[in-house]
Amino acid sequence: MDHIELFNKMIEYYEGDPKRIQHFTKVFEYCRLIGTMENIPEKEQFALETTALVHDVGIKKAE
């Protein structure tokens, strides 16, 4: 799964909760920017960005 597909799945998952969508979007962009600036290897960058998109996925169920 690529990041566009995962991003869209996360939007579906958090449908009706714009604050959560905005949050994971910001975290994703910050991680992407930092990883790019630090020139981390491609596989690590992919893992970093993927983790950023799903980092709060358990909160919805926990509530």
Side-chain angles (χ1 to χ4, degrees):
M1 178 179 297
D2 65 18
H3 288 135
I4 294 172
E5 189 177 357
L6 180 57
F7 193 89
N8 287 329
K9 293 285 187 188
M10 292 302 294
I11 289 172
E12 287 176 27
Y13 182 72
Y14 285 124
E15 184 178 4
D17 193 345
K19 287 183 181 181
R20 291 252 166 79
I21 294 169
Q22 291 166 9
H23 173 70
F24 78 73
T25 300
K26 288 181 215 174
V27 172
F28 172 78
E29 286 299 325
Y30 287 138
C31 288
R32 189 176 65 80
L33 178 62
I34 292 167
T36 300
M37 291 172 64
E38 293 294 324
N39 295 311
I40 66 173
E42 188 176 332
K43 282 184 177 181
E44 290 179 22
Q45 182 72 23
F46 184 82
L48 174 67
E49 293 174 7
T50 301
T51 303
L53 286 170
V54 300
H55 76 278
D56 280 341
V57 75
I59 289 175
K60 186 175 173 179
K61 292 259 185 190
E63 292 178 333

